């Protein structure tokens, strides 16, 4: 009996697959096409981690499955290779980022091959290579020509450690997602993509894709569409400076104009343009100016999430509530409401000012309670247990509008005060300038007069200069390059200067999937092949990319569609996330905690097949995986059983094995199709337990090997060859199951009471609806949930669900 030597078997087949070009992608094949894609990795010095192993194995299994089903599958891989870690490593060691990144990529490829991942690395994209970023720059130029990118000076999130600007989406808990440094606000010129032009499409088109609902919801919330009204408040007891005479009103965006009569104070953002004029002559000017300075140290996220509401009243200045001012029956001067500045109001959202209605907004209620401001009920429902009532209702204390419902009042009150119904968004334009070296150069030059010009295509790629020392100083390292300045003047003339910022690395990853179908094309970003392969059929990656990569990629595709470069609107038709891999105690793996499990070590000890199979068996793909070495041993033993079964094959299979096999083929195929890998592996394990007690033929055993092959490709290939087969098992057709043999003898159906599962019962095949009904209503659990209620109706979906409505 041969010994199962995973190391020897896996090395043998990895070499043979490479020598025989088994993984080669034939993009001209006429078979039905399927585009399977992983989120490509950043090639860090640490190499692959277990999260990569799970995600990439999941896509590899699906690729092998679809190939066996007769599809021509494009499953490419590449590297998101620009970024801060390589640059920081260069600052620390003096090794230039290109050298260290290339070494890391080589290591990643070795690791991927050791896991048996079916990638054709001749078809990879690497974002730092000029052959790739030439087209990133070309796309920037197309956006520039079509007014989809612009430059402006604005306050941005600034990381003092990284010495660069950071997008809102890259600030986590008020800190830089890369290094953990507290983010501050800084005025700086930079380039912005007009993602806000596509806000509605980014919301509406989520209905057209098969994505997890929580991901769709989070994107909608991030975009933050709000229907409301623009209302103007006059200011009393204030003498504007001569330059501001046209701004005697404060504009407010509100989603609740129906509550206008309950607005008892106003709040301006500390950076609101009127504040500088309003502070002149204030009795508490010093206090106000200090508060403004302190607010600049906070990030937007800090201000939004701040638990304690802070602010300062502008003493002696009042806003005029336009609804009360235009109505009769209110006490004298009741239209005058105090004005505060507070950092929970943001200048970039709405107008940078709010009307505060503490009786009907929880945030305003907290602020009013703290500062002793009047709380006035104007929607029936009132203040419940010292909390604001934020729902709709019937108006009270609202003059002529009393008794009107909220929806009608929103329009009527807006008209009454001369307001304007409008729409607002939380989404901001994408700040994509970075003051760092290791990134794609922005293809812009400036004339001696300061006019920006996009670099013509004949000068692309606009190469990243190499005469730079990388050390951050708050200015882009490219400013230190002599060659960069000389190159610009040589091409464009004396006095011309280049743009010194580089692009956010998320620009590189916002279109990389468009390059794979035609990665070697030197004449265009992608030829007509894009129509054959795109959009991506299935995309697998982490949910942490919801607000950045996934949103930005959708924007890029929509922008490219608008200007005629693409004929589709969404990049990824189907998206699924993999969960995080935790240590045995349920903690996130990290180098600092010393609890990282290295895939290389697991492959060395247990083999790639066991590692792959365990990662998909341990939990549903979207759930967290708690690493457990005892369980991978169990998977190893399962594969050993399969390996040694070769010596126990008979001429014919028993009836029990045949029934079990065809059920297994059916379930594993269905489970892979639905990415339910854990139950697919479990079903194969159950089958081998049946085989242990009954005889199986070589013909039936080979069918089993075919469904095991996507999960454990090496051992399946080895056994397949030992049985006398000449071609690769991975080129075989996926086995079909006999419907009669695969038929279940019993079914477990869920029993719901008012839509909630309250029990499960097992029924025999062929049970009538009356039989099932009798079993359901005699179940003790169901009796308990029905209780004294009358059963209004019951619905039975055969062999699946029995629903009771009471």
């Amino acid at each position: 009996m041969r010994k199962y030597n995973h190391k020897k078997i896996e090395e043998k087949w990895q070499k043979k697959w490479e020598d025989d070009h088994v993984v080669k992608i034939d993009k001209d094949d006429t078979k039905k096409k399927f585009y399977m894609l992983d989120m490509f990795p950043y090639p860090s010095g640490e190499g692959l981690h277990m999260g990569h192993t799970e995600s990439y194995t999941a896509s590899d299994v699906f690729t092998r499955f679809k190939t066996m089903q007769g599809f021509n599958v494009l499953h490419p891989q590449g590297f998101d290779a620009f970024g801060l870690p390589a640059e920081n490593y260069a600052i620390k060691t003096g090794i230039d980022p290109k050298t260290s990144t290339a070494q890391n990529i080589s290591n990643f490829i070795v690791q991927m091959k050791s896991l048996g991942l079916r990638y054709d690395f001749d078809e990879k994209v690497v974002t730092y290579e000029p052959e790739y970023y030439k087209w990133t720059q070309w796309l920037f130029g197309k956006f520039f020509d079509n007014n989809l990118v612009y430059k402006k000076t604005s306050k941005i999130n600034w990381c003092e450690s990284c010495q660069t600007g950071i997008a809102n989406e890259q600030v986590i808990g008020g800190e830089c997602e890369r290094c953990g440094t507290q983010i501050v606000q800084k005025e700086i010129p930079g380039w912005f993509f007009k993602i806000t032009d596509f806000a509605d499409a980014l919301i509406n088109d989520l209905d057209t894709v098969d994505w997890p609902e929580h991901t769709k919801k989070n994107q909608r919330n991030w975009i933050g569409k709000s229907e409301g009204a623009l209302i103007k408040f006059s200011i009393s007891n204030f003498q504007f400076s001569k330059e501001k005479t046209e701004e005697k009103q404060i504009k407010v965006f509100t989603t609740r104009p129906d509550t206008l009569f309950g607005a008892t104070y106003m709040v301006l953002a500390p950076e609101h343009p009127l504040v500088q004029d309003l502070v002149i002559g204030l009795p508490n000017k010093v206090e106000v100016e200090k508060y403004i300075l302190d607010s600049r140290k906070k990030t937007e996220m800090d201000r939004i999430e701040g638990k304690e509401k802070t602010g300062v009243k502008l003493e002696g200045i009042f806003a005029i509530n336009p609804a009360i001012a235009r109505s009769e029956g209110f006490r004298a001067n009741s239209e005058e409401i105090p004005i505060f500045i507070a950092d929970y109001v943001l200048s970039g959202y709405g107008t940078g000012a709010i009307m505060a209605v503490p009786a009907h907004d929880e945030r305003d209620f907290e602020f009013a309670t703290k500062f002793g401001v009047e709380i006035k009920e104007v929607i029936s429902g009132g203040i419940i247990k010292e909390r604001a009532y934020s729902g709709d209702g019937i108006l009270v204390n609202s003059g002529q509008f009393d008794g009107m419902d909220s929806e009608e009042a929103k329009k009527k009150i807006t008209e009454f005060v001369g307001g304007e119904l409008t729409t607002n968004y939380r989404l901001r334009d994408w700040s994509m300038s970075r003051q760092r070296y290791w990134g794609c150069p922005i293809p812009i030059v400036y004339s001696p007069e300061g006019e920006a010009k996009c670099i013509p295509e004949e000068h692309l790629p606009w190469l990243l200069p190499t005469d730079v020392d990388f050390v951050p100083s708050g200015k882009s390292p490219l400013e230190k390059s002599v060659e960069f300045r000389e190159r610009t003047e040589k091409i464009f003339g004396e006095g011309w200067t280049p743009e010194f910022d580089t692009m956010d690395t998320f620009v590189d990853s916002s279109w990389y999937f468009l390059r794979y179908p035609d990665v070697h094309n030197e004449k265009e970003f992608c030829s007509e092949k894009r129509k054959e392969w795109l959009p991506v059929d299935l995309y697998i990656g982490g949910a942490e990319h919801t607000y950045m990569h996934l949103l930005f990629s959708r924007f890029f595709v929509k922008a490219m569609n608008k200007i005629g470069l693409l004929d589709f609107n969404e990049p990824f038709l189907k998206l699924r996330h993999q969960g995080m891999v935790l240590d045995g105690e349920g903690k996130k793996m990290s180098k600092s905690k010393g609890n990282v499990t290295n895939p290389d070590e697991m492959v060395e000890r247990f083999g790639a097949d066991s590692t792959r199979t365990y990662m998909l068996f341990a939990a549903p793909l979207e759930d967290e995986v708690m690493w457990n070495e005892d369980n991978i041993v169990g998977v190893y033993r399962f594969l050993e059983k399969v390996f040694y079964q070769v010596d126990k094959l008979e001429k014919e299979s028993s009836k029990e094995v045949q029934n079990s096999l065809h059920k297994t083929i059916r379930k594993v195929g269905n489970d892979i199709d639905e990415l339910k890998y854990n139950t697919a592996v479990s079903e194969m394990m159950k089958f081998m337990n049946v085989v242990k007690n009954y005889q199986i033929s070589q013909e039936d055993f080979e069918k089993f090997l075919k469904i095991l092959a996507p999960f454990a490709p090496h051992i399946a290939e080895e056994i397949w060859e030992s049985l006398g087969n000449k071609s690769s098992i991975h080129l075989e057709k996926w086995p079909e199951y006999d419907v009669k043999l695969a038929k279940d003898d019993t079914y477990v159906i869920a029993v719901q009471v008012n839509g909630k599962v309250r029990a499960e019962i097992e029924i025999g095949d062929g049970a009538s609806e009356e039989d099932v009904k009798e079993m359901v209503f005699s179940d003790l659990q169901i009796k308990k949930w029905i209780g004294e209620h009358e059963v209004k109706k019951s619905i039975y979906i055969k062999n699946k669900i029995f629903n009771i409505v009471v």
Side-chain angles (χ1 to χ4, degrees):
M1 183 182 288
R2 295 181 305 157
K3 181 176 173 58
Y4 174 44
N5 185 330
H6 67 263
K7 191 172 183 181
K8 184 176 179 181
I9 290 170
E10 289 169 4
E11 287 177 352
K12 166 189 170 180
W13 286 107
Q14 286 166 16
K15 183 177 186 306
K16 183 167 177 56
W17 291 333
E18 187 155 356
D19 291 345
D20 294 349
H21 304 290
V22 171
V23 300
K24 199 71 184 165
I25 297 172
D26 183 2
K27 295 176 183 173
D28 297 318
D29 194 303
T30 56
K31 288 183 288 191
K32 188 175 180 181
K33 292 174 173 53
F34 191 91
Y35 190 173
M36 172 77 237
L37 189 62
D38 315 289
M39 292 184 182
F40 65 168
Y42 174 77
S44 68
E46 287 78 37
L48 286 178
H49 53 64
M50 296 309 293
H52 291 129
T53 305
E54 180 190 18
S55 176
Y56 297 162
T57 300
S59 63
D60 190 68
V61 168
F62 204 87
T63 294
R64 293 174 183 275
F65 171 64
K66 297 303 284 186
T67 301
M68 294 176 78
Q69 284 189 318
F71 287 83
N72 186 26
V73 184
L74 176 61
H75 182 214
Q77 186 56 281
F79 298 94
D80 192 9
F82 277 132
L84 286 174
E87 185 169 347
N88 290 338
Y89 185 73
I91 295 166
K92 184 178 178 181
T93 65
I95 299 173
D96 75 274
K98 184 176 180 180
T99 300
S100 63
T101 304
Q103 291 171 347
N104 294 343
I105 288 173
S106 296
N107 179 48
F108 265 67
I109 290 174
V110 169
Q111 288 183 292
M112 289 175 175
K113 288 181 178 179
S114 76
L115 283 163
L117 299 173
R118 188 172 177 163
Y119 295 129
D120 181 355
F121 287 107
D122 291 336
E123 300 290 322
K124 68 181 181 296
V125 298
V126 181
T127 58
Y128 78 70
E129 292 179 346
E131 295 82 2
Y132 179 83
Y133 72 69
K134 167 186 177 178
W135 298 107
T136 305
Q137 294 171 332
W138 182 84
L139 288 171
F140 178 96
K142 293 299 179 184
F143 283 20
F144 182 86
D145 292 342
N146 286 275
N147 197 33
L148 291 172
V149 63
Y150 63 95
K151 190 172 188 179
K152 71 173 182 178
T153 297
S154 66
K155 283 185 180 177
I156 65 167
N157 303 311
W158 181 263
C159 176
E160 291 290 359
S161 174
C162 296
Q163 287 289 296
T164 189
I166 301 291
N168 288 332
E169 294 82 355
Q170 293 162 292
V171 179
I172 309 298
E175 297 177 347
C176 172
E177 67 157 356
R178 291 289 190 187
C179 69
T181 300
Q182 192 72 26
I183 295 297
V184 297
Q185 301 297 297
K186 186 174 182 178
E187 286 269 0
I188 198 166
W191 288 91
F192 291 77
F193 282 124
K194 282 189 176 179
I195 190 171
T196 53
D197 281 7
F198 300 86
D200 281 326
L202 288 167
I203 292 173
N204 297 335
D205 291 349
L206 285 169
D207 293 333
T208 69
V209 292
D210 180 5
W211 285 25
E213 281 305 315
H214 63 86
T215 302
K216 291 184 180 183
K217 179 182 177 182
N218 288 340
Q219 280 211 1
R220 289 188 184 105
N221 290 342
W222 186 261
I223 297 165
K225 182 177 181 178
S226 301
E227 302 285 351
L230 197 64
I231 294 173
K232 298 174 182 177
F233 285 70
S234 299
I235 303 173
S236 68
N237 298 345
F238 173 69
Q239 181 62 49
F240 279 91
S241 62
K242 292 179 181 178
E243 293 78 12
K244 299 289 183 178
T245 52
E246 77 282 3
E247 295 184 5
K248 293 184 179 179
Q249 295 175 318
I250 300 173
K251 294 179 182 178
V252 169
F253 172 80
T254 176
T255 59
R256 297 296 304 271
D258 55 318
T259 65
L260 181 55
F261 282 87
T264 57
Y265 67 100
M266 291 195 72
V267 183
L268 303 181
E271 54 279 334
H272 191 286
L274 282 179
V275 170
Q276 292 305 315
D277 289 309
L278 291 172
V279 298
I280 299 171
L282 283 183
N284 62 335
K285 177 181 178 183
V286 174
E287 181 188 15
V288 171
E289 290 180 335
K290 181 181 184 302
Y291 185 86
I292 293 171
L293 288 173
D294 289 342
S295 70
R296 291 174 183 168
K297 299 173 185 176
K298 297 181 181 181
T299 66
E300 286 192 359
M301 201 58 66
D302 287 336
R303 290 165 60 174
I304 293 170
E305 296 177 351
K307 293 181 179 178
E308 184 181 354
K309 297 293 178 283
T310 64
V312 179
K313 183 179 178 182
L314 304 183
E315 298 289 354
I317 297 176
F318 297 91
I320 305 300
N321 185 319
I324 296 175
R326 297 184 184 205
S327 300
E328 297 179 359
F330 290 91
R331 59 181 171 78
N333 300 322
S334 62
E335 73 275 15
E336 292 188 346
I337 59 176
I339 302 174
F340 291 80
I341 62 167
D343 60 18
Y344 76 86
V345 177
L346 306 175
S347 62
Y349 182 75
T351 64
I354 67 163
M355 63 176 219
V357 185
H360 304 292
D361 181 278
E362 197 60 46
R363 187 179 56 174
D364 297 344
F365 182 86
E366 291 176 20
F367 189 93
T369 302
K370 178 176 179 178
F371 288 91
V373 182
E374 179 188 3
I375 298 174
K376 178 183 176 184
E377 179 189 13
V378 291
I379 303 291
S380 60
I383 304 161
I384 304 170
K385 294 183 180 178
E386 298 185 349
R387 295 190 64 183
Y389 172 71
S390 57
D392 288 346
I394 303 300
L395 270 66
V396 296
N397 300 320
S398 299
Q400 69 208 62
F401 301 96
D402 283 354
M404 191 176 289
D405 68 74
S406 288
E407 276 308 306
E408 184 182 3
K410 287 176 183 179
K411 183 177 180 181
K412 295 289 186 182
I413 292 177
T414 300
E415 292 174 350
F416 177 64
V417 299
E420 173 189 351
L421 293 173
T422 187
T423 303
N424 197 44
Y425 299 88
R426 179 177 183 267
L427 183 69
R428 319 290 174 77
D429 281 339
W430 174 9
S431 170
M432 49 75 68
S433 293
R434 298 294 177 265
Q435 296 70 44
R436 296 303 296 252
Y437 171 72
W438 191 233
C440 176
I442 296 174
I444 290 287
V445 290
Y446 300 95
S447 70
E449 294 75 34
E451 182 183 356
K453 176 183 178 181
C454 204
I455 293 172
E457 186 175 343
E458 62 263 29
H459 297 300
L460 300 181
W462 188 242
L463 295 173
L464 192 63
T466 56
D467 58 332
V468 175
D469 65 9
F470 319 125
V471 179
S473 61
K475 294 183 178 180
S476 172
L478 299 192
E479 290 195 43
K480 304 173 186 176
S481 170
V482 175
E483 183 276 329
F484 203 40
R485 294 175 184 273
E486 289 178 347
R487 184 203 318 169
T488 302
E489 288 201 329
K490 182 178 180 181
I491 294 172
F492 297 98
E494 186 177 349
W496 284 74
T497 56
E499 171 61 63
F500 296 115
D501 286 352
T502 52
M503 296 189 201
D504 179 5
T505 55
F506 279 103
V507 180
D508 308 313
S509 61
S510 290
W511 77 276
Y512 79 107
F513 49 90
L514 302 174
R515 184 65 174 164
Y516 281 129
D518 204 11
V519 72
H520 300 295
N521 192 328
E522 296 179 0
K523 295 182 179 179
E524 51 187 328
F525 77 93
C526 188
S527 67
E528 289 297 302
K529 287 185 178 180
R530 66 181 178 271
K531 295 182 179 179
E532 300 173 24
W533 287 102
L534 290 156
V536 175
D537 292 294
L538 175 60
Y539 197 32
I540 296 179
E544 67 272 15
H545 296 291
T546 296
Y547 308 117
M548 295 177 280
H549 165 59
L550 290 172
L551 186 64
F552 295 156
S553 296
R554 296 183 64 226
F555 156 66
F556 251 69
V557 165
K558 291 182 185 305
M560 292 172 73
N561 174 273
K562 181 179 181 179
I563 61 180
L565 297 176
L566 295 175
D567 60 358
F568 55 92
N569 257 321
E570 286 290 334
F572 315 118
L573 298 180
K574 183 174 182 176
L575 169 73
R576 292 295 183 268
H577 300 305
Q578 88 281 0
M580 189 176 293
V581 181
L582 309 175
D583 70 7
E585 296 179 359
K587 297 176 182 176
K588 183 178 178 180
M589 292 185 181
S590 70
K591 285 180 69 180
S592 61
K593 293 177 183 175
N595 63 348
V596 173
T597 299
N598 191 307
D600 293 348
E601 181 187 347
M602 294 301 104
V603 170
E604 176 69 24
R605 291 174 60 193
F606 300 104
D609 287 337
S610 293
T611 303
R612 289 165 56 105
T613 306
Y614 169 70
M615 291 306 299
L616 298 183
F617 171 62
L621 180 64
E622 66 276 10
D623 288 359
E624 293 176 337
V625 174
M626 283 184 62
W627 179 260
N628 186 316
E629 200 165 292
D630 292 339
N631 288 345
I632 195 174
V633 171
V635 171
Y636 185 88
R637 287 175 182 158
F638 158 66
L639 294 178
E640 276 188 319
K641 284 182 190 177
V642 177
F643 186 80
Y644 294 131
Q645 188 63 42
V646 177
D647 299 315
K648 304 173 186 176
L649 300 179
E650 303 288 346
K651 288 185 178 180
E652 293 184 354
S653 296
S654 69
K655 180 184 176 182
E656 291 81 2
V657 164
Q658 285 187 337
N659 287 340
S660 179
L661 174 64
H662 286 270
K663 289 175 185 176
T664 302
I665 292 171
R666 181 191 65 185
K667 181 163 177 56
V668 170
N670 290 341
D671 283 352
I672 293 176
D673 214 29
E674 296 174 11
L675 302 176
K676 296 178 178 178
Y677 296 125
N678 61 316
T679 53
V681 175
S682 176
E683 195 70 15
M684 289 188 285
M685 290 177 170
K686 289 178 187 176
F687 173 74
M688 285 307 297
N689 287 334
V690 173
V691 170
K692 181 175 67 174
N693 299 315
Y694 299 95
Q695 64 186 40
I696 185 171
S697 68
Q698 177 173 329
E699 180 184 358
D700 284 342
F701 187 61
E702 286 183 352
K703 290 177 182 177
F704 174 72
L705 288 177
K706 290 176 185 178
I707 66 174
L708 175 66
F711 295 86
H714 309 87
I715 192 173
E717 191 81 283
E718 177 70 12
I719 298 172
W720 182 256
E721 183 193 54
S722 74
L723 294 173
N725 296 290
K726 301 300 181 184
S727 64
S728 170
I729 191 172
H730 303 293
L731 301 178
E732 290 292 309
K733 186 180 178 183
W734 186 261
E736 296 181 357
Y737 61 85
D738 185 308
V739 175
K740 292 181 181 178
L741 292 174
K743 193 173 183 180
D744 290 314
D745 298 323
T746 61
Y747 296 89
V748 176
I749 67 167
V751 183
Q752 297 180 335
V753 178
N754 291 342
K756 292 187 177 180
V757 176
R758 298 304 187 186
E760 290 183 339
I761 63 170
E762 187 174 294
I763 63 170
D765 182 35
S768 68
E769 183 170 347
E770 282 303 313
D771 293 336
V772 175
K773 192 172 184 178
E774 184 178 342
M775 292 175 69
V776 167
F777 285 107
S778 63
D779 185 272
L780 293 177
Q781 281 292 102
I782 298 304
K783 284 183 176 181
K784 180 184 117 179
W785 284 106
I786 294 175
E788 301 298 321
H789 297 290
E790 177 189 350
V791 176
K792 295 178 181 176
K793 66 177 177 177
S794 62
I795 303 165
Y796 176 50
I797 300 174
K798 189 174 181 180
N799 298 334
K800 291 183 179 180
I801 293 174
F802 194 99
N803 193 19
I804 301 167
V805 180
V806 297

